[in-house]
Amino acid sequence: MATAGPNYASTAVSDSALAGNVWSNPGNAGAGDDSYSTAYSNGTQYLKATGFGFSIPTGAVIEGIVVEWERKASGSTVKDKAVRIVKAGTVGATDKSVTTDWPTTDAFASYGGSSDLWGETWTAADINAASFGAAIATNSTFVRTASVDAVRITVYYTPQINLASDAAAVATAAADLTTTIALSGDLAASATLAGDLTTGIALQGAATAAAAAAAYFSVVLDGAIQAQASASADLSTGIALSGNAAGIATLSGNLTTQIPLAGDSASVATAAAGLSTQIAPAGAMSSVASASASLTTSIRLAGSLAASAAASADLSVGRVFIPPASQRIYLAEITCYDPTLPGIRTLRYSSGADGYDNGGILYEPLIQQPATLRREIPTDVVGGHVSASYGALTLVNASGQLKALRDYYFGGYELTLKVGEAGAPYASFTTRLKATVETASFEPNRVAIRLRGREETLKTPLQTLSYGGTNVLPDGLDGTPDDQKGKQRPLGFGRLAAITPPCVNTSLQIYEISTSAFDDIVNVFDGGTFLTRGTEYTSLSAFKSSTVGAGGYNIYKAGPTYIKLEREPFRTLAVCAAEKWDYTQISAAGILKRILQSLGYTAADWVEQDFLDLDAANAGSLGILVGDGETIAGVLDRICISVGAWWGFDNLNRFRVRRFDGPAGNPVATITDEHIQEFGPVGPVQRPLWEVTVQGDWNYAVQPNANLTGQAQEQPARAQWWDKASRDQVISVPSVKANRPLAEKTTLTSYQNGISQCLAEGTRRRARFDDCHDPIAVTLGAPDAWMDLIDLGSEVVLVSDQCGYPAGRAKVVVMTQPDFQRNRLDLILWG
């Protein structure tokens, strides 16, 4: 398909075919020179522009028309009243108007499309006529000034064959010529002979990885019918293959030419038609297995052939273009806030040269570089969050067509990037990336849409509640200005072995365990000695006014959770509490999901299988007390580190969590030397571990032995536990140190409750680095499906002589960075 334009109008008038306000200075709408045609916007006449000066070749098939109006308004509510095409000076019936407000700064609006004929049938002459054009009118709720700077039109068409013939000494002769050239199988040439035909096909250079190629061209026949005494039919076909032709199954070229010689050729003895065609596919033709040409030509001469000397026709081929079999393009959809609406606007752009038309929703071809995302998981013995970095999506702005974006608000809105084949239905496009927009940065000749990870929203405190110090004793649960004012309120998850809660009412001796509801208060200690469990209340007012038995405590746990003591503690107060008894709720996976839900996340924001897999790997309970000012990300880190897992967001902005393990025998792809473009080592590497100490079963109410009551001191094991913040488990394998002198020892922090869980987790993580691990970075010329199939934590098999794995090695993907523009995939493989 060819294009003409965009061409600007040479004439514009206010057309009273539509009743309304008259346009002033309508001629100013001819060119984009900031000279405006204006009208009061509350119902206008047509502003009709014509004289676009097109020269579409005769016989061309008109495929579509795009009209662009450059316009603005002095305020809101100005909208399209009518947007129509003009044919032969008459305004058409099809209306393309939209309901969005005109902007208050100059901007083009596009109507129609590459396959939109505006409800009309067209010839080249219709388009070339001075009376061809476009019309627009406005309407508004309030009286504003509507201003039009320019209008331009682009026409999409397919060239056809035109015959100009000068008949000398005869009337006319007619010949229909159809030529089909198909390359397939082995090299061979076949033909049926009729008429004069000379065809040369030269395959030069290389055509890389093409399944099929098709030729499109424009043909003009001119010449004269001259005297000739005899008729002959000669066929000569030459096919020359040069370059590299090895490895592709088929390469085909289809050529169809129609030459009509119409009329009556009286007094003609004979007639002949001559055709000369050369098709040269340029570029690389590596990987072609075989090629062949078969040619069939038929010529029919119509009319009376008597007493004339001769007839002949000459064919000249101007340009031959062989497009690729398919073209992959990217579509970007960017939401932002437009204060001129006011409201949310979606901006749409595409890569490629022609843009994309989704049923009249146009994507301008302005993408210079699609956005990228690099993600890497920690491969040390600890775990935690994924490191992520985004590359900006850049848009071409050489002519300043994106200047209106300067006034839009982008921060916090979303970018969606899709990939598919040009011309394919929108539903077939795959979402390749979703990300949060940071800002739109205007640079020389381009606009960079800069992105940020969703994890940035998690760098805020998880507990946002603090004490106001508003108690008027003996009333209140908010502390006083002298004790709790400004301090963070407690928040806990899981089973808390021992915490010291703050006193929120010193008169009533009420202590807050957590701002959330708890399933139970298991035990309360004063200096290590058990206090007596009293009454549990479901009414907060009844709880506050209750009487506590001697040496005991009462409970309110509906949320927030409180205890009330009979008297002020003699020594350190410590509480053992269970936020949930259901262990599926207080495992690492369970607490992670519940925190996300408290932030407003839903099942669409994570991958459910991740939580199921993590529970299957480690379902032990945790105890997490949120620290002062601790961020959401910090809490998620502590949870994941406890079980050797990592967390982050994937390319679709979904929360992901997985335990870091070695290959398990479930590869999603096999990578070979055929895919590898570059490779190299990665360092530093986690050294083997000969000893691991796991700190677990945390005590948040540490107190020395001297602080304990006599009763508690009489139990040495318990007294020793009160004196330490954690119960440490040591996993030691001296033989590893003996065999591998650089082996290390390390200490891990885990918030798991049971010491048996800590021991098992420490044993697993120490053994994870026993084998010889060789991280390697590879750059792949990847099949498109791998962009979605291979993700962080995926297992692959690397079979590569050049990388030193001729027999293959199973590895885990610990870094992924797709290059969407060049269809490459950068990976770091571990294992």
Side-chain angles (χ1 to χ4, degrees):
M1 186 186 301
T3 61
N7 288 8
Y8 286 83
S10 62
T11 303
V13 298
S14 188
D15 189 337
S16 59
L18 181 65
N21 299 323
V22 176
W23 290 88
S24 300
N25 302 311
N28 289 348
D33 53 5
D34 292 334
S35 294
Y36 297 95
S37 173
T38 60
Y40 290 122
S41 63
N42 58 327
T44 71
Q45 294 184 355
Y46 284 125
L47 178 60
K48 185 170 77 172
T50 53
F52 285 82
F54 284 103
S55 299
I56 306 296
T58 301
V61 176
I62 308 303
E63 305 287 357
I65 301 169
V66 173
V67 180
E68 297 173 279
W69 290 93
E70 186 178 15
R71 76 284 187 273
K72 67 179 182 178
S74 61
S76 61
T77 79
V78 179
K79 306 180 188 297
D80 295 340
K81 178 180 179 182
V83 179
R84 306 193 179 197
I85 206 72
V86 174
K87 180 179 179 181
T90 301
V91 178
T94 300
D95 185 16
K96 298 286 184 181
S97 59
V98 297
T99 58
T100 54
D101 284 3
W102 282 26
T104 55
T105 56
D106 228 359
F108 275 104
S110 181
Y111 304 88
S114 59
S115 58
D116 190 339
L117 296 177
W118 298 67
E120 306 283 350
T121 57
W122 301 93
T123 65
D126 294 331
I127 302 294
N128 296 339
S131 55
F132 167 71
I136 195 168
T138 75
N139 212 342
S140 62
T141 305
F142 304 107
V143 179
R144 312 288 194 193
T145 299
S147 302
V148 175
D149 188 7
V151 56
R152 62 191 185 191
I153 296 181
T154 302
V155 178
Y156 295 80
Y157 66 94
T158 299
Q160 297 295 300
I161 300 169
N162 302 309
L163 177 64
S165 175
D166 177 20
V170 296
T172 54
D176 289 337
L177 171 64
T178 300
T179 305
T180 302
I181 303 174
L183 301 178
S184 62
D186 295 328
L187 291 175
S190 64
T192 59
L193 308 181
D196 282 339
L197 177 65
T198 301
T199 305
I201 303 172
L203 301 178
Q204 301 170 352
T208 304
Y216 304 91
F217 57 90
S218 60
V219 179
V220 178
L221 292 179
D222 57 14
I225 301 176
Q226 303 294 334
Q228 187 173 348
S230 63
S232 64
D234 297 319
L235 173 65
S236 172
T237 303
I239 301 175
L241 293 176
S242 62
N244 182 2
I248 284 192
T250 61
L251 176 68
S252 66
N254 297 322
L255 170 65
T256 302
T257 306
Q258 289 192 336
I259 307 172
L261 300 173
D264 184 319
S265 198
S267 302
V268 178
T270 59
L275 171 66
S276 175
T277 306
Q278 280 207 334
I279 302 175
M285 292 209 44
S286 57
S287 307
V288 181
S290 60
S292 71
S294 59
L295 178 64
T296 302
T297 305
S298 64
I299 300 178
R300 299 193 305 275
L301 297 177
S304 174
L305 301 176
S308 173
S312 66
D314 297 326
L315 171 67
S316 91
V317 178
R319 173 175 173 266
V320 177
F321 169 64
I322 301 181
S326 62
Q327 180 187 10
R328 187 182 59 181
I329 62 171
Y330 285 90
L331 305 179
E333 297 165 355
I334 307 165
T335 58
C336 59
Y337 183 83
D338 180 357
T340 64
L341 289 177
I344 305 300
R345 179 187 292 275
T346 299
L347 308 175
R348 295 178 172 86
Y349 305 103
S350 79
S351 62
D354 299 323
Y356 183 77
D357 184 351
N358 175 24
I361 301 174
L362 300 180
Y363 292 69
E364 294 184 82
L366 297 180
I367 294 180
Q368 182 184 62
Q369 167 67 54
T372 60
L373 170 59
R374 185 186 192 276
R375 296 181 296 143
E376 184 171 359
I377 63 177
T379 58
D380 58 15
V381 72
V382 180
H385 63 274
V386 169
S387 62
S389 59
Y390 290 82
L393 178 135
T394 57
L395 304 172
V396 176
N397 191 33
S399 60
Q401 64 267 52
L402 301 179
K403 59 185 178 182
L405 272 57
R406 287 186 178 275
D407 297 324
Y408 297 167
Y409 304 136
F410 288 89
Y413 291 93
E414 189 172 70
L415 161 74
T416 299
L417 187 68
K418 295 175 176 285
V419 64
E421 300 297 328
Y426 178 81
S428 69
F429 278 69
T430 300
T431 300
R432 189 53 53 80
L433 180 69
K434 285 188 175 182
T436 303
V437 178
E438 178 79 37
T439 185
S441 176
F442 284 78
E443 303 171 1
N445 298 322
R446 71 175 194 169
V447 177
I449 306 298
R450 304 196 181 280
L451 308 173
R452 60 183 288 181
R454 196 173 183 180
E455 62 273 9
E456 293 294 321
T457 64
L458 304 181
K459 294 179 180 180
T460 57
L462 177 58
Q463 175 59 295
T464 59
L465 302 177
S466 60
Y467 294 111
T470 61
N471 283 0
V472 179
L473 296 177
D475 295 326
L477 297 173
D478 196 30
T480 69
D482 297 326
D483 51 31
Q484 301 299 341
K485 183 177 181 179
K487 294 181 181 179
Q488 177 178 300
R489 295 174 66 182
L491 177 62
F493 297 91
R495 187 170 67 80
L496 300 171
I499 63 171
T500 298
C503 182
V504 296
N505 187 310
T506 53
S507 295
L508 300 178
Q509 282 298 297
I510 296 177
Y511 296 77
E512 186 171 30
I513 309 303
S514 177
T515 52
S516 59
F518 265 53
D519 277 359
D520 201 7
I521 303 299
V522 181
N523 287 305
V524 178
F525 304 87
D526 181 358
T529 296
F530 289 95
L531 298 184
T532 302
R533 184 185 184 98
T535 305
E536 180 179 317
Y537 292 87
T538 58
S539 164
L540 184 58
S541 61
F543 165 76
K544 289 190 291 184
S545 62
S546 67
T547 300
V548 182
Y553 61 93
N554 290 344
I555 301 169
Y556 177 80
K557 61 181 186 181
T561 301
Y562 300 103
I563 61 170
K564 183 178 182 181
L565 303 185
E566 178 258 339
R567 51 164 174 76
E568 183 178 354
F570 291 120
R571 301 191 181 180
T572 301
L573 179 67
V575 177
C576 175
E579 185 227 356
K580 302 286 184 185
W581 281 123
D582 182 352
Y583 270 53
T584 64
Q585 297 292 302
I586 58 176
S587 65
I591 296 176
L592 286 170
K593 182 188 286 189
R594 289 194 295 117
I595 289 176
L596 294 176
Q597 289 171 327
S598 73
L599 302 174
Y601 285 51
T602 67
D605 296 305
W606 61 64
V607 176
E608 183 66 27
Q609 190 62 44
D610 287 355
F611 297 116
L612 299 175
D613 291 343
L614 185 57
D615 257 344
N618 191 324
S621 67
L622 274 64
I624 299 288
L625 183 64
V626 178
D628 286 345
E630 187 174 17
T631 65
I632 303 165
V635 175
L636 300 185
D637 273 349
R638 283 206 284 149
I639 294 169
C640 288
I641 288 170
S642 296
V643 295
W646 55 264
W647 69 272
F649 291 88
D650 65 11
N651 59 312
L652 299 181
N653 239 358
R654 300 174 302 180
F655 182 88
R656 304 302 305 270
V657 59
R658 298 183 70 171
R659 193 173 79 170
F660 182 52
D661 288 302
N666 301 304
V668 299
T670 298
I671 298 170
T672 68
D673 284 333
E674 178 183 347
H675 305 112
I676 298 173
Q677 297 178 353
E678 301 174 18
F679 73 96
V682 178
V685 179
Q686 172 67 55
R687 291 176 177 173
L689 300 171
W690 73 274
E691 184 176 285
V692 171
T693 299
V694 180
Q695 299 173 322
D697 199 25
W698 280 82
N699 169 21
Y700 293 97
V702 176
Q703 46 196 303
N705 188 266
N707 187 66
L708 300 177
T709 63
Q711 181 183 0
Q713 290 177 350
E714 293 172 0
Q715 303 176 40
R718 177 166 292 277
Q720 186 180 20
W721 186 85
W722 284 115
D723 189 46
K724 295 182 179 296
S726 63
R727 288 197 285 174
D728 298 347
Q729 304 302 305
V730 179
I731 302 93
S732 181
V733 184
S735 61
V736 173
K737 177 72 170 176
N739 297 331
R740 306 173 75 174
L742 294 181
E744 300 174 338
K745 63 179 181 179
T746 192
T747 298
L748 305 176
T749 299
S750 177
Y751 292 89
Q752 296 181 103
N753 293 128
I755 59 174
S756 60
Q757 296 170 216
C758 296
L759 185 63
E761 180 60 22
T763 300
R764 181 190 74 84
R765 274 196 258 181
R766 193 215 60 77
R768 191 177 66 189
F769 296 94
D770 275 352
D771 296 333
C772 181
H773 296 287
D774 178 24
I776 185 171
V778 294
T779 297
L780 309 179
D784 187 62
W786 282 11
M787 295 289 187
D788 302 310
L789 185 64
I790 299 179
D791 200 0
L792 284 187
S794 297
E795 184 179 331
V796 298
V797 175
L798 180 60
V799 182
S800 169
D801 283 330
Q802 60 179 328
C803 295
Y805 301 114
R809 172 71 71 88
K811 289 185 174 289
V812 175
V813 177
V814 297
M815 188 283 289
T816 176
Q817 181 175 351
D819 184 336
F820 298 141
Q821 190 172 45
R822 294 182 290 177
N823 201 37
R824 302 196 329 178
L825 185 60
D826 290 325
L827 303 174
I828 295 179
L829 308 177
W830 183 92

